[in-house]
Amino acid sequence: MSGFEVTVYRLDGTIEKYQAPNQVLLGGLNLWLDSMFRAQNFAFLYKGLISATSLTSLSSSDTMSSHPGWYEVPSYYSWSYTNSAGDLALQPYRAEYGYNGGGELRSGTNTLGDFVDFTRREYISAPYACRIGGLFLSTSRTITSTQGTLFATARFLGNEAVNLNVGDILEARYITDVEAV
Amino acid sequence: MIYDKLKATGRLTYAVYDSSGALKLQGASPNQVKVQAANQYRSLQVGLPYTDSSISTIWYMGLIRGDNYTTTSIYDRYDTNVSTHPGWSEVSSNTLISTLRPQWYRAPASNATIAGSTVSWTSVATNVNFSVAGILVMTENTVNKTIHQLVTFPGFLYATGIFTAIVTLTPGDTLEVDYEAYLGSA
């Protein structure tokens, strides 16, 4: 599957797993191509939470400034670097995805540039209970900001809603693949 | 629009004109994006540059010889560290007016597509006929020069595209190629 694999670690020790298939949007595809062929720096991507409340649909025409079928969870925290020394702390930002992000880099490219496997896990928690319908990737770090490029959206399988209670930790692993044909 | 796996694809259109400018033939064919290019996409997404340097800002096209062409592979590479493309070789510069691969200028991506300038080659008027099987797209401009230091030359072979039939260029002929790269679920 290409998309998000989510694990929720509850305070009581239970662990729940969810999947949210990926939908890469046109802005994301154009960003990717420009990075490849026009040396545009690929902006860092950030993982955000889609609220299950009022979530009706994700659209292929959604953008950061216009996504009428959903809105973002208004407040949450993610593990991010706090300084150049690499210290990590919970911060009120979308979770940074990528090489410089606060998550765990599972693998990467070898010295010849051969792809091995990128599977990053970012960690998110919330200051109060919320219900999550899915996740998104954006080039903007600020929660509820409508700036930047909406790279991808993903809704939990079966339109499931996931409760994130105070103290729970949500681990979001994003996987995407590009096939050469 | 749920993607299980994004596909990097592309298309080329080509035409041959004689020395008077008359159209001799034209065609279109798909391309073959290399595994190295797919790796590059995935590296970019997580903020990693390709290998240990930035991607070249300049892209070029080369010609694949028709006389000894057998096949292309998604695993083809065109650098010295792992230079392997056993099914084809490149047209050498002594049959062309220019000794450099012509540059391909790209327009901003739109609708998940990168398109760019028309690239052309003109055969040397005093030379004999030669055949062309297709084109290659890569980030190095010297014909038949392999990229011997990835650190210095962070280029790579993005794709090859094979014409629907071997094209024979006679002296004075001009071959024109337009290339488009796609990213999507196609």
Side-chain angles (χ1 to χ4, degrees):
Chain A
M1 186 202 74
S2 180
F4 289 92
E5 289 184 356
V6 170
T7 303
V8 178
Y9 299 91
R10 304 289 185 194
L11 268 180
D12 64 5
T14 58
I15 297 173
E16 301 168 8
K17 292 184 179 295
Y18 304 91
Q19 288 188 324
N22 189 39
Q23 176 179 231
V24 179
L25 303 174
L26 189 57
L29 296 173
N30 289 338
L31 173 68
W32 227 341
L33 283 164
D34 277 335
S35 301
M36 172 70 83
F37 286 105
R38 305 184 71 247
Q40 308 292 305
N41 289 330
F42 198 105
F44 283 122
L45 296 176
Y46 301 90
K47 298 174 178 177
L49 300 182
I50 293 174
S51 173
T53 306
S54 303
L55 169 58
T56 55
S57 64
L58 307 179
S59 168
S60 60
S61 58
D62 282 346
T63 63
M64 285 306 295
S65 59
S66 176
H67 44 82
W70 57 275
Y71 65 81
E72 185 176 6
V73 173
S75 180
Y76 52 93
Y77 298 104
S78 61
W79 287 99
S80 300
Y81 282 125
T82 58
N83 54 38
S84 59
D87 294 334
L88 289 167
L90 278 174
Q91 298 194 91
Y93 299 115
R94 294 167 182 154
E96 185 172 328
Y97 167 71
Y99 182 65
N100 291 322
E104 174 191 5
L105 183 64
R106 301 288 294 179
S107 54
T109 54
N110 62 24
T111 54
L112 294 181
D114 291 326
F115 179 76
V116 181
D117 182 26
F118 283 117
T119 52
R120 292 194 58 87
R121 301 163 190 267
E122 276 80 24
Y123 300 95
I124 299 172
S125 61
Y128 52 82
C130 55
R131 284 172 62 79
I132 302 163
L135 296 98
F136 65 92
L137 280 175
S138 167
T139 59
S140 172
R141 184 188 190 195
T142 305
I143 293 170
T144 70
S145 168
T146 58
Q147 303 299 306
T149 298
L150 183 59
F151 187 86
T153 55
R155 189 171 186 174
F156 290 123
L157 284 176
N159 295 337
E160 196 162 11
V162 176
N163 289 312
L164 190 62
N165 301 311
V166 175
D168 292 342
I169 295 174
L170 182 147
E171 175 190 276
R173 178 187 183 209
Y174 180 68
I175 306 165
T176 190
D177 201 1
V178 179
E179 182 181 17
V181 291
Chain B
M1 204 168 78
I2 301 295
Y3 297 128
D4 277 330
K5 184 179 282 189
L6 291 173
K7 295 179 189 288
T9 61
R11 179 183 65 179
L12 58 114
T13 56
Y14 55 95
V16 175
Y17 300 89
D18 67 17
S19 56
S20 70
L23 178 65
K24 295 177 69 174
L25 63 88
Q26 59 185 345
S29 55
N31 82 157
Q32 181 184 62
V33 176
K34 306 306 176 186
V35 168
Q36 234 185 341
N39 294 341
Q40 171 71 84
Y41 279 115
R42 289 178 282 206
S43 296
L44 284 168
Q45 192 193 31
V46 292
L48 276 175
Y50 193 66
T51 66
D52 53 353
S53 185
S54 61
I55 306 169
S56 169
T57 60
I58 304 173
W59 286 81
Y60 304 89
M61 288 192 202
L63 297 179
I64 294 173
R65 285 172 58 172
D67 58 328
N68 62 0
Y69 168 75
T70 56
T71 187
T72 59
S73 163
I74 60 173
Y75 299 105
D76 285 341
R77 294 179 66 155
Y78 207 164
D79 55 78
T80 295
N81 278 343
V82 185
S83 182
T84 174
H85 44 89
W88 55 270
S89 59
E90 189 173 6
V91 172
S92 60
S93 59
N94 60 6
T95 52
L96 299 168
I97 283 179
S98 172
T99 59
L100 300 177
R101 296 187 184 113
Q103 190 169 341
W104 177 51
Y105 299 92
R106 294 84 52 218
S110 176
N111 201 25
T113 303
I114 281 275
S117 58
T118 299
V119 173
S120 66
W121 297 260
T122 299
S123 61
V124 174
T126 56
N127 212 315
V128 295
N129 299 347
F130 67 97
S131 61
V132 180
I135 59 133
L136 55 94
V137 180
M138 68 181 300
T139 59
E140 175 60 44
N141 69 345
T142 305
V143 176
N144 273 337
K145 174 185 176 183
T146 54
I147 301 168
H148 51 277
Q149 291 290 336
L150 282 173
V151 174
T152 307
F153 301 100
F156 68 100
L157 177 66
Y158 182 85
T160 53
I162 300 302
F163 303 146
T164 53
I166 299 292
V167 169
T168 299
L169 297 180
T170 57
D173 282 354
T174 295
L175 168 65
E176 291 188 350
V177 173
D178 287 286
Y179 178 67
E180 295 172 300
Y182 307 122
L183 197 57
S185 60

